[in-house]
Every structure is written in structure tokens, then in C-alpha cells.
Amino acid sequence: MASSINSLEAIQKKIDAVKLFLSVSLSIANAHTVDFYTCDVWDQFMAVPPVEVLTEITLNGDHKRAPEHYLNHGSGTTKNITFGFCDDSKRLVDVAELLEAAYAHSLPGLGVCVGRTELLQTLRHTDNAQPLEEVPAAVVESEEFMNSKKSHEVQAMSEVVASLAQRCRVKQVIDVGSGKGYLCSFLSLQYGLQVYGIDSSSVNTHGAQERNRKLKKYSRAYQRHSKANRTPTVMPPSGQKDLEDIAPGERERGDMVKTSGDAEKEEGKGRRDGEAQTNTTGLTDQNEEDAMTSLTSAILLEDNSLPGLDQSDPASAPEDPFLSALCVGMVEPISPRVPPSELSLEERERRKRENLERKARSWVNSGGMGSGMLYSPLTSFVTAETELKEIIGELEDAVMVGLHTCGDLAPSTLRMFVAKRELLSVCSVGCCYHLLSEEFDPTRQECPSSSVCGFPLSGYLREQSWFCGRNARMSACLALERVAKGQGIQMESLFYRAVLHVILRDHYSSFKSEKRVGNVYSKATSFVDYVWRALRRLELDESKLSDSVIQGYHDTYRPRMVEMEAFNMLKVTLAPCIEGLILLDRLCYLKEQEDVAFSTLVQLFDPLLSPRCYGVVGVKAPGMELSE
């Protein structure tokens, strides 16, 4: 990574290029679909037929003109046409030119991002760096405890975070907006890091704590079972295979299944996590797959019964590749147990007392971060001004991370990293750009004058008072790669809403109601039914309309639905450019800080699996100068 490519001056130049392109094309992204027919949006912005737009996008999708074409030739103006728009009418006249310019001003076209592998090599390029323990492929492929998207994200990001921690020689990680705690659990169990997961929702933190507790509970049993499978055992004579004669790993595996219900009965019925995932693809044996599905459900849903498993038979318990890969030292050992019905009353009381004492000891240190407890979910609403020491009593030098932190939380994470001396590195992946507050948006809908806004973050863009607009930020959330692969937009629902707006304009004087239509489309059986449901939601007089009148509107505008489809495809094409500007602004902010030794944008995820795939990485550890 040559310093000239990612220097502050180079990033500012790329910001200027994207700004110039968006100054011409951003009006498309800011046009509201609801107003598509009432404001005649197509004729306002387009001088070409919709079929031409769709054909150009479909048949000529590889618009990859070299970025230098635009960076070196200024505005890209030819014959009174700028980026495909006529300079006089401001309407689109050259679709191919717009598509080429859109790619050139996206992050891939600008060539500003590094790959995850390249970043890892850079972070590990030290004389004393030890190689990280790689996560086995089975952990990702089997996806027992997460859906495929979350599994992909957690595995990819955790390796980067662990490398940052190793580079900065720290053991603490602070996950802001930790949600269900998947990343936190993986970092603590796989890499032995001490992780504090901070989320504003107590429901999330409680669920994360329970999920992590169960993962740790089963980890050691699986580890020992795996070891037992590799160690030959001498089988006893026929008829003598009682509990004491069973191999330790096999016995403990059976205990793991048998005691899951007992432990829950002792502790009381737990809260069910209704959003648990039970996708168990990747197992070759169907019986093992079915068993793993049941076990996964039991762990994440806190189900005391395991359908399909004989809890008295140790051989019925399946092996879990995810847990078998976790660090053995991160879990409490599970003592061999016989069925509770065979225990005496005194023995049951003794074991219950020991269990309670053991739990009390595990929580006595570090405010609940006791021996073997390397992940602590915390409930708190944090901003850039938050004092972390008030939340984390044992705060040390740490890495700050955020996986899909929503709206303003992503820029707040970067502000915290810059402001807090104990935060030595950061890895932030944002999302929900439509919830960002904009300092210079004339409407100022999201950003009160007294608060710190999320965009722009850098001094460079703030000096220029740049803003995108809410509709443009909504467009930035669209997933170009998914749409390109046929996972298109639900066009009919948008069409229904736009035609409804025409009806409201024609028959109701105040068609901009304070109430929202909401998700009426999913319940409607037809356009007529949709309109009736919407009118009831908006509490409007239904006597002004009839079924035939409503259907007439549908039939009138149905031939023009192709205009909406083409227009929204152009919005999708512009999405990476708007997202790119937001992320370049965040990177520029880090490069403006004197104590940040290294900063970059990195593509962490496959955009088909996870559209918000870019992370902002920064390191300010003293003596950790990295070549950019």
C-alpha cells in the first residue's frame, strides 16, 4: 500500500471526484418514489425511454471505464453532456455514460479499498508477531448457531479484530452495538479475548449473555468427546458396560445432553430467544443433521427437551464442529453425573449448593467478569462523549469494534476511538445510512442544532457544508450486487404506493397526512384492497371512492410501471457512489488525526451475502507505524 495512494491528499482528491459526480446525478437518488406520478418524475429527469435504460443496464452491465478518465479529465464533460446529463436541460440523455461514471466513482472503481487478506498481511508483518489460530472451515460451513450471512460476517471480522488486538498487544475488545453478541462470543471463545459488548437494548444484552453461557457450557464436553474419539478405548466384557466403564469423553458427552434439562430446572425457566437461527446445512449424515438441528434449538431457545434424542444414551448426542473448535479453557468443566432420579436427596442438595457457590465465585471478580468469563454484555446508550470507564470498571487498552452499527453510532464509534486514549485501534462497519443525521441538511429533520451530527464527519467535507439528503441516503442502502444477480426490488409495492398518492391528491385535499400507510401491501390481495386498507389506516372518508374508480387508476398507470422500474434501477446504480462518499468521509476523518498512524477502508465481506461489506480500520498505537 503505497503512501501516495491512501494519503490524506489522495483521499481528499477522490472525495472531490465523487462530489462532482453526485452534484450532477444526486437529484435522481433524492427523488421520492411516492411522488413518481404526482410530480411526473420520469419526464423531469429523463430524456430517454425507460426501455433503453433497462436494456443498457441489463445487456451492458460491465461499465468499468478507468477512474483516471474522470479524475484526470475533470468533470467528464463532452458536447454539453456531463456524466450522461445534458448541461442545459439537466435531463439524462446518455445512459451508458452515466453507468460508466457511476462505476468509476464507486469504491471499487476508485481503487481506494484494500482486501481483507492484504490487511491481515499488513497487520501481521512484524518480527515478533505470532500466527493466529485459524478458524476451521467447518465452523463457517456448518453454520449451526448463525445463519449463513451472520456466520460469514463474524468469521471474517473476528480474524481482523484479533489481528488488530495482537498488533496493538491488547487483550480487551469493546463491541459497540453488540446486539445478540455473536461476534463477542466468537472473539472470546475462539481467540481468548476479553470482550465487552455494549448495546442500548437490555433485551439484546440479556439474550447475548444467555446464549454465550450455553455455548461455553457445551464447549468442554464437545472438546473431550473429540479427544476421546481419537483415543482407542478397551471395551469391557459383555454385560459390564455400566456408567463407570464408559470412556470419559463418551460419558461426559452423555452427561452434556442429560444435564441440560436439569440445569435449567435448577435455575428456573429461561426467556426464549425468538430470533434464534436453526439452519444446519453442511452436515453430510442426515441423522446427524437432524440431531444437530434439535441441539441447536435447545441451546439457543433454551429448550429443556431435545426432540429425537434419547437423553439416557450417550451415543445419541451429536458432535458440534463449532463448539469443538472453541478454546477449552474458556468453559467451566462439567462433572460426570448420573440421572437425577438415581441421586439421594442429600446428594442432590450437596450438588445444588456446590453449583451455586461455583457461580458466585465466577462472578465475584471484575464486576461479573470472573474466571472463565471473557465476554460481558453491558446495557448502555453510548455516544462520542460517553466515559467508557464509567461503564467498564476494569478498562484497559483495547480495540473498539462495531459490526453493522446503525446510523450515527458508526461515526460516534470513530469519534470515541479518536477521543479515548485507551482505544488503540478500531474496526467499524456501519449500516442504515438513512438514519444518519446530516449537519448541513436544510430540512434538519434528524439532527437537532444542539447535537453532534453523523455526516459529514471529516473537517474537509464540513468546511464545504456538504449534504446528501435523506432520500439519497435511503438509496445508499440499496444492494447493487444483489439486484444485479436477480434479487430485484419489489416493484409492485412501490407502484401501488405511487398510484395511491395520485388518488389522495385527486380526491383528498390534504393528501400529505401525518399518518403513514405502513406495510399495507403485504396484507392486500389486490390494488383495490390495498387502497381500501390504506384509506382506513389514514382515517380518510371511504365514501368518496368506489371499486371501479380505484381500478381505473390502476389501469391508467399500469403501462407506466416500466418507468418506475427503470428509474429505481438507476437509483440502485448510484447507491455505491453515495455509500462511497459516506465511507470516504469517515476515512478522511481518521487521516486528519495526527495520532492515527494507520487507517484504511477494507472490504470485509462478500457483498452478495452482506451488502454493507466495507469496514473502516484505524490504528494509533505508539510505535506501530504501518506503511499505507
Side-chain angles (χ1 to χ4, degrees), residues 232-435:
T233 57
V234 179
M235 298 301 295
S238 177
Q240 297 183 13
K241 187 177 180 180
D242 56 18
L243 185 64
E244 295 302 320
D245 295 325
I246 298 175
E250 186 179 0
R251 180 173 67 247
E252 289 169 13
R253 182 178 61 164
D255 294 332
M256 178 272 294
V257 178
K258 290 188 291 183
T259 60
S260 62
D262 304 331
E264 292 305 312
K265 290 176 183 176
E266 292 178 8
E267 298 174 17
K269 297 290 185 180
R271 181 181 61 83
R272 289 180 178 269
D273 185 348
E275 299 182 63
Q277 303 292 337
T278 57
N279 179 17
T280 58
T281 58
L283 298 178
T284 56
D285 184 81
Q286 184 62 44
N287 293 332
E288 186 178 12
E289 180 176 344
D290 294 340
M292 194 63 242
T293 302
S294 300
L295 181 59
T296 302
S297 300
I299 294 174
L300 296 183
L301 297 178
E302 299 192 15
D303 195 350
N304 292 332
S305 64
L306 296 176
L309 290 180
D310 180 3
Q311 297 190 25
S312 64
D313 180 14
S316 66
E319 182 176 359
D320 175 15
F322 179 86
L323 291 174
S324 64
L326 300 179
C327 180
V328 179
M330 296 302 102
V331 294
E332 297 176 4
I334 299 176
S335 302
R337 298 180 64 181
V338 295
S341 59
E342 299 180 13
L343 294 175
S344 65
L345 179 61
E346 292 78 7
E347 179 66 12
R348 276 183 283 181
E349 288 297 325
R350 184 186 68 80
R351 294 193 179 193
K352 183 177 180 180
R353 184 170 59 254
E354 289 180 353
N355 185 43
L356 293 174
E357 291 173 355
R358 183 171 62 252
K359 288 180 179 179
R361 287 194 301 270
S362 70
W363 284 96
V364 73
N365 296 324
S366 303
M369 265 321 241
S371 174
M373 298 291 291
L374 295 185
Y375 166 38
S376 177
L378 305 170
T379 302
S380 180
F381 183 84
V382 297
T383 66
E385 291 74 33
T386 300
E387 286 296 335
L388 294 175
K389 291 183 178 180
E390 296 179 0
I391 304 174
I392 304 171
E394 299 293 325
L395 182 64
E396 301 173 359
D397 289 347
V399 177
M400 173 160 279
V401 302
L403 175 54
H404 290 151
T405 46
C406 191
D408 284 348
L409 186 55
S412 291
T413 299
L414 298 179
R415 285 191 173 107
M416 261 190 285
F417 163 66
V418 169
K420 311 301 181 186
R421 183 177 57 185
E422 56 271 11
L423 299 179
L424 301 186
S425 61
V426 66
C427 182
S428 170
V429 181
C431 68
C432 303
Y433 301 126
H434 61 292
L435 297 179

Side-chain angles (χ1 to χ4, degrees), residues 8 56-57 77 87 102 141 162 190 237 241 267 326-327 340 372 433 455-457 488 496 506 514 562 616 628:
L8 175 61
E56 192 68 36
I57 291 175
T77 301
D87 293 340
E141 294 174 357
Q190 178 71 15
K241 187 177 180 180
E267 298 174 17
L326 300 179
C327 180
Y433 301 126
F455 181 84
L457 185 61
Y496 277 15
D506 293 349
E514 293 298 324
V562 66
V616 182
E628 297 192 358

